[in-house]
């Protein structure tokens, strides 16, 4: 008989290859034993009572906008919101904060804010923008998880899109540094050209907005990035891919051996262009929510296992920037606020389409950990990994309201949506950080500097 710090009892544990009724023993923040542990005791015991025990989500794509625009979200509210959704690690994007994370000084400043305020672990992306190629090595040496660039306009004056020459130079350097470049892939030329046409005609409806960012704009940018990756040898990660056309190109490039991963976001799977028509600016994002037929194709690709991972792209702003009274759809800030609901969305889709929960765990934790160098410590419920855990009930539903959405600003496309499941508890390093509607803050999160990630035991 052994005594552990904590035993999570009687859950259906989502292991890498199966879901198994088991107890999980945790010591010093690390998973020590999984199985029938009736003979063992925990200093604390948590009765999971037939709920599902998932690995804590690793959300590789959020925008917390701190320092500089913490009033948009910030590490404190943002990390609490993620914890309430079963997320225990996230990677913050290099734009929307001031300064942008495009040199070492800015990186360290952001890391300090994160270490002071985040309640879960985090990594930080560095930016590739025109003129900062010589900063990439310093950013890599200081521990960025990877780099991010935009092929289309960012909507943010402090973070310019990468022109083609910058992309080529940056990719060559990022390959040398053995890092990954994440790309927002939409053609700037196509989107600007179509936007200008619509503006000249005074057309600002949801359908007009969607028409300015067609599937072809995404596919063209993806194709170009793939060619540049082949020229430079750079590893790529495509963020928020929203079309089957782009996926065809990515799939073909994978087949010919390019080292590429691809994410999509819950909102492209759960919503479509009708939602933009119905809900307006809270449903504005880029690429835009697609037509129902395209949404169905994305779900089919998900079921086939074509997406490597799922990220939220949580990208909130104060409501004034989305207020339809003062902004038409073209002017309103684009970005979906909903980082709390990624795991629940994927569980909903898994229930609807009979997708095994192991796949959900893989998309939300296993593959992100593997791809970004965290797998010695994170990403699976397994002996030796950090006890980062999300407990999900299928016996409860969860209707999103202002009271149970933990983001700083409550306007969201998810408002009013009812999930057929509920995250009831989140453990970070074996400590309860969230339980039944309450944040139970136990210590700060750690900045996961990419070169310093060692096994916990
Ligand atoms: Zn984003």
């Amino acid at each position: 008989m052994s005594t552990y710090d904590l035993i999570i009892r009687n859950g259906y544990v989502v292991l890498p290859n199966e879901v198994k009724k088991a107890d999980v023993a945790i010591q010093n923040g690390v998973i020590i034993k999984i199985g029938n542990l009736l003979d063992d005791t925990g200093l604390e015991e948590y009765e999971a009572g037939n709920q599902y025990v998932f690995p804590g989500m690793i959300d590789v794509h959020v925008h917390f906008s701190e320092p500089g625009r913490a009033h948009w979200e910030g590490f404190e509210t943002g990390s609490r919101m993620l914890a309430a959704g079963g997320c225990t690690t996230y990677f913050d994007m290099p734009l929307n904060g001031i300064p942008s994370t495009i040199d070492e000084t800015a990186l360290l400043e952001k890391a300090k804010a994160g270490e002071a305020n985040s309640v879960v672990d985090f990594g930080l992306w560095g930016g590739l923008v025109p003129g900062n190629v010589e900063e990439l090595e310093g950013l890599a040496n200081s521990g960025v998880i990877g780099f991010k660039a935009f092929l289309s306009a960012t909507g943010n004056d402090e973070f310019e899109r990468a022109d083609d020459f910058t992309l080529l130079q940056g990719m060559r350097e990022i390959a040398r540094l053995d890092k990954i470049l994440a790309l927002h892939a939409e053609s700037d030329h196509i989107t600007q050209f179509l936007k200008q046409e619509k503006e000249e005609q005074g057309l600002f409806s949801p359908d007009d907005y969607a028409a300015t960012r067609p599937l072809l704009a995404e596919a063209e940018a993806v194709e170009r990035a793939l060619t540049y990756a082949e020229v430079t040898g750079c590893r790529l990660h495509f963020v928020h891919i929203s079309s089957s056309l782009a996926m065809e190109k990515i799939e073909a490039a994978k087949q010919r051996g390019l080292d590429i991963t691809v994410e999509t976001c819950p909102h492209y799977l759960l919503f479509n262009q009708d939602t933009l028509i119905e809900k307006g600016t809270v449903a504005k994002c880029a690429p835009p929510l697609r037509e129902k037929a395209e949404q169905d194709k994305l779900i089919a690709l998900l079921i086939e296992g074509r997406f490597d991972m799922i990220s939220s792209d949580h990208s909130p702003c104060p409501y004034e920037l989305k207020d339809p009274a003062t902004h038409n759809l073209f002017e309103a800030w684009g970005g979906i606020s909903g980082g709390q609901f990624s795991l629940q969305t994927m569980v909903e889709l898994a229930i609807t389409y009979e997708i095994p929960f192991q796949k959900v765990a893989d998309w939300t934790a296993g593959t992100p950990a593997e791809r970004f160098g965290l797998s010695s410590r994170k990403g699976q419920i397994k002996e030796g990994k950090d006890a980062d855990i999300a407990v999900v009930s299928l016996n409860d539903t969860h209707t999103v309201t202002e009271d149970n959405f933990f983001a700083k600003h409550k306007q969201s496309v998810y408002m009013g949506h009812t999930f057929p499941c509920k995250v009831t508890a989140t453990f970070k390093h074996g400590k309860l950080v969230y339980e039944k509607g309450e944040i139970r803050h136990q210590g700060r999160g750690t900045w996961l500097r990419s070169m310093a990630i060692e096994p916990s035991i």
Side-chain angles (χ1 to χ4, degrees), residues 225-387:
L226 289 168
T227 305
Y228 292 179
E230 212 155 347
V231 170
T232 58
C234 186
R235 293 187 287 157
L236 298 184
H237 175 69
F238 286 103
V239 300
H240 54 52
I241 287 295
S242 66
S243 68
S244 52
L245 195 57
M247 286 299 288
E248 276 172 31
K249 294 179 187 300
I250 290 168
E251 197 62 36
K254 281 182 173 177
Q255 295 295 330
R256 58 178 197 271
L258 265 69
D259 190 344
I260 307 156
T261 45
V262 54
E263 75 187 31
T264 191
C265 305
H267 41 271
Y268 297 111
L269 301 167
L270 201 58
F271 305 117
N272 57 47
Q273 202 168 313
D274 297 338
T275 319
L276 181 66
I277 294 165
E278 183 196 332
K279 297 203 171 185
T281 54
V282 294
K284 179 186 175 183
C285 53
L289 297 177
R290 301 301 192 186
E291 287 179 355
K292 173 78 169 67
E294 195 60 32
Q295 177 197 9
D296 291 344
K297 286 186 192 170
L298 294 175
I299 291 170
L301 288 166
L302 178 84
I303 294 167
E304 282 175 29
R306 305 291 179 186
F307 292 105
D308 298 295
M309 62 190 87
I310 298 294
S311 78
S312 70
D313 191 9
H314 176 72
S315 185
C317 67
Y319 188 61
E320 302 87 84
L321 300 177
K322 277 188 178 289
D323 187 350
T326 46
H327 298 79
N328 70 40
L329 194 56
F330 282 40
E331 295 162 343
W333 178 261
I336 299 287
S337 174
Q340 191 176 325
F341 310 116
S342 302
L343 183 56
Q344 291 183 159
T345 301
M346 299 319 292
V347 170
E348 173 173 345
L349 292 166
I351 292 168
T352 308
Y353 298 101
E354 298 182 353
I355 300 167
F357 281 171
Q358 306 92 286
K359 291 244 192 187
V360 172
D362 210 27
W363 293 325
T364 56
T367 308
E370 193 70 44
R371 181 61 165 169
F372 295 103
L374 306 182
S375 59
S376 63
R377 278 179 47 186
K378 296 188 183 292
Q380 295 176 330
I381 309 264
K382 197 173 171 187
E383 285 97 344
K385 307 275 188 192
D386 288 354

Side-chain angles (χ1 to χ4, degrees), residues 96-111:
N96 300 348
I98 305 172
S100 301
T101 319
I102 53 174
D103 59 36
E104 221 177 327
T105 311
L107 175 72
L108 297 176
E109 192 187 338
K110 182 184 268 196

